[in-house]
Amino acid sequence: MTTRTSIPVAGTPEALTLRPIRVKTLRGSRQLTKDENEALVQMLAVPTKPERFDVHSLMPKGSYLERVGRHFRETDISYSICIMQLISVAASWLTQNGTVLEVPGVGRILPTLWTVGLAQSGSSKTMASDEIDQVLALSEQSISRLPTGATAAQWIVDLHRNNGAFWFQDEVGKFFNSVLTQSHYMNLKAWLLSAYSHAPIANRLKSEKEKLEIEKPAFTFHGLSVTETWKSDIDISSMLDGFCQRFNYYIASPRRDTDIFEHFLYFEGPEVPRRREALAEIWSALCAQPAASGAYTMEPDVLPFLQKWWSGLRDTWGQSPLPRSFIRRIGFSVLRYLVVLHFLLGKSRHPIDVETAELATRYAEYHFKSALYIVQEYDKGHTSKVQKVAAIVKKVESDGQAPTGRNVQRRMSGNVRAEYEKGEIAEIVSILQQITEMPDLFDKSSSAGERTAALYAERDRIHERLKLNERKRNERRVRELLRAYRAKATPQEAVNDAVTDDQQNVVQLYLPLASTG
């Protein structure tokens, strides 16, 4: 889609569609631009369902990720929150210990992940993150953290003292609202945008007593918010802001296997301290594994696999209502996930392989679905109205008629037409007709999830082959890491033993992949 940045002329369809929605600014609010209007119509046109979010596919059997998830089994807490908190802490530990991913021709990529999770009220979000922190605090590994609630001036001081630190932000929607709308946070927004790409930041205002400059700012961010309050703190147009698009979003869906009434107390019983100690010991072993920190490299077949996955998105998410700006940033975060997941799988001593890369793409898929779902949940009224018009447009076109506002109105009942303001149907049709890169978007079988399932056959085949010995392979890795950690083995001894172990449990993969288009 051609980039458009001009403000639409009053009275045009671009200015009138979704007319009640306005963009918050430091000076008040403004109308949507043509770009923003089209992006919103795209995102509202096709529904997605929260039940498609399955975090179990993100926790390989027998891995440390699954063991952490099992620690929460006797609760009704969403597995998503505890897993994302673990990944965030791991990303921060790796960053603080100088870990990078070396990509030939690209350079060094830091494993700094910026993640925002949304959950229903009463879902014990803070308890989940606190429990992960309590478990990992039992180990000998320390994590530097950024304090919350600081002013913009204090924030850059804190980051200067603890560059690479972990920033956990509860009620993140309210914080983002302040960053986007309050003038005293203006500098912070600019600093955060620069920090995303590790560009230098500095407070060089005359009013600042301490002149600070951070040459390569870096930190890992994990924010949590209640879904309902998020929508009031961050309006739908703000999700199109470049600042909000820097973050990967995830939906912490309620558990289906249990509910709140089955658990009066969480983490109760004599076995809980033992579980915490066991998880803390594995965390220590992961941090002590050979080459845990430093430069990570990739096997020769990893980039071809990722390139094949990325090109496959053209016919899946590229044809979806999710703006490409989201797709691009989520896709790039896969490179950061490579390092974190390889570390958590206990494979740091080896180059990153396709097994890790395939898992990283599943996290990206989770973020794709979540970002689209979040946007569509903002205003069910607008979502429903756009989707109704889109469905009728498809029927009109299939009958060989021109998809005009008049023809669409003729297909509507009187009650449905009454939902729209004068001229609104024609306005929505006008915008839909401008979206040219989305053929068959409104077909029932063309949702992002269904297209993905159809076109990722090759990736799923690899996934099934990897799962043949997944539990055995991951459990053996954990045992070997613990054995080496307990015995205080030298790095070389651990490497020699682990290489023998991995050779007994390798899954052969053959690339390049066959086309799935």
Side-chain angles (χ1 to χ4, degrees), residues 138-194:
L138 297 174
S139 73
E140 64 225 26
Q141 301 295 326
S142 61
I143 302 290
S144 297
R145 294 173 180 261
L146 289 175
T148 59
T151 63
Q154 183 60 44
W155 179 87
I156 193 172
V157 173
D158 294 334
L159 185 64
H160 185 264
R161 293 171 179 168
N162 293 289
N163 195 24
F166 176 41
W167 181 355
F168 176 78
Q169 182 72 49
D170 200 8
E171 299 295 338
V172 67
K174 299 186 185 304
F175 172 73
F176 280 5
N177 181 279
S178 298
V179 171
L180 292 170
T181 62
Q182 297 182 17
S183 58
H184 61 275
Y185 275 114
M186 186 183 302
N187 287 335
L188 180 57
K189 179 182 178 181
W191 290 334
L192 292 175
L193 290 172
S194 296

Side-chain angles (χ1 to χ4, degrees), residues 319-332:
Q319 303 296 328
S320 81
L322 188 64
R324 295 189 176 188
S325 51
F326 277 94
I327 296 172
R328 162 58 69 184
R329 292 186 174 103
I330 293 172
F332 182 79

Side-chain angles (χ1 to χ4, degrees), residues 85-338:
Q85 180 73 357
L86 172 63
I87 284 177
S88 297
V89 173
S92 185
W93 185 90
L94 289 164
T95 301
Q96 292 174 37
N97 284 274
T99 304
V100 296
L101 172 66
E102 291 188 340
V103 182
V106 175
R108 294 188 162 192
I109 298 172
L110 288 115
T112 49
L113 290 167
W114 291 14
T115 313
V116 170
L118 304 187
Q120 294 179 358
S121 178
S123 56
S124 303
K125 304 181 304 302
T126 304
M127 178 175 287
S129 57
D130 286 348
E131 179 64 19
I132 292 296
D133 292 346
Q134 181 176 347
V135 167
L136 301 186
L138 297 174
S139 73
E140 64 225 26
Q141 301 295 326
S142 61
I143 302 290
S144 297
R145 294 173 180 261
L146 289 175
T148 59
T151 63
Q154 183 60 44
W155 179 87
I156 193 172
V157 173
D158 294 334
L159 185 64
H160 185 264
R161 293 171 179 168
N162 293 289
N163 195 24
F166 176 41
W167 181 355
F168 176 78
Q169 182 72 49
D170 200 8
E171 299 295 338
V172 67
K174 299 186 185 304
F175 172 73
F176 280 5
N177 181 279
S178 298
V179 171
L180 292 170
T181 62
Q182 297 182 17
S183 58
H184 61 275
Y185 275 114
M186 186 183 302
N187 287 335
L188 180 57
K189 179 182 178 181
W191 290 334
L192 292 175
L193 290 172
S194 296
Y196 179 81
S197 55
H198 311 301
I201 61 176
N203 64 337
R204 298 190 177 278
L205 298 177
K206 294 181 179 179
S207 59
E208 301 294 345
K209 296 180 179 179
E210 190 176 0
K211 306 300 181 181
L212 298 178
E213 182 173 1
I214 305 176
E215 183 177 351
K216 192 173 184 178
F219 58 87
T220 296
F221 183 95
H222 185 203
L224 292 176
S225 185
V226 177
T227 306
E228 295 81 2
T229 61
W230 172 269
K231 291 183 290 186
S232 62
D233 292 329
I234 304 297
D235 60 40
I236 189 170
S237 57
S238 294
M239 283 295 291
L240 302 175
D241 185 271
F243 172 75
C244 287
Q245 291 186 20
R246 258 58 174 188
F247 298 85
N248 287 344
Y249 295 89
Y250 71 91
I251 298 294
S253 300
R255 297 260 296 275
R256 297 183 184 181
D257 59 331
T258 186
D259 61 36
I260 187 174
F261 299 104
E262 292 186 5
H263 310 282
F264 180 60
L265 294 174
Y266 296 149
F267 308 112
E268 177 270 333
E271 75 285 353
V272 173
R274 292 193 294 270
R275 287 208 314 261
R276 287 172 174 154
E277 290 284 354
L279 291 172
E281 185 182 27
I282 298 175
W283 170 254
S284 295
L286 287 169
C287 295
Q289 65 182 302
S293 58
Y296 282 57
T297 59
M298 295 179 286
E299 292 282 4
D301 55 357
V302 169
L303 271 183
F305 172 82
L306 292 177
Q307 289 164 350
K308 183 69 177 179
W309 166 77
W310 180 252
S311 63
L313 296 181
R314 176 185 292 109
D315 296 319
T316 56
W317 285 101
Q319 303 296 328
S320 81
L322 188 64
R324 295 189 176 188
S325 51
F326 277 94
I327 296 172
R328 162 58 69 184
R329 292 186 174 103
I330 293 172
F332 182 79
S333 72
V334 165
L335 296 175
R336 305 181 195 272
Y337 266 113
L338 290 179

Side-chain angles (χ1 to χ4, degrees), residues 442-488:
F442 310 117
D443 188 86
K444 290 183 179 179
S445 64
S446 67
S447 69
E450 290 166 335
R451 281 179 175 268
T452 299
L455 294 171
Y456 281 3
E458 185 70 13
R459 194 193 71 170
D460 288 342
R461 181 185 67 81
I462 289 178
H463 181 68
E464 290 305 314
R465 294 182 65 183
L466 288 170
K467 290 180 74 68
L468 289 176
N469 295 309
E470 181 180 76
R471 181 174 296 280
K472 177 182 177 182
R473 190 166 61 250
N474 286 320
E475 288 180 344
R476 186 181 291 269
R477 285 173 186 150
V478 172
R479 286 199 304 271
E480 288 297 323
L481 287 173
L482 285 173
R483 182 198 57 76
Y485 175 71
R486 290 167 180 168
K488 303 297 182 182

Side-chain angles (χ1 to χ4, degrees), residues 18-37:
L18 307 178
R19 56 176 65 78
I21 300 176
R22 297 184 66 83
V23 180
K24 293 180 180 178
T25 67
L26 295 177
R27 298 180 179 178
S29 65
R30 61 169 173 79
Q31 287 184 331
L32 297 174
T33 65
K34 186 179 295 186
D35 260 352
E36 292 166 342
N37 208 328

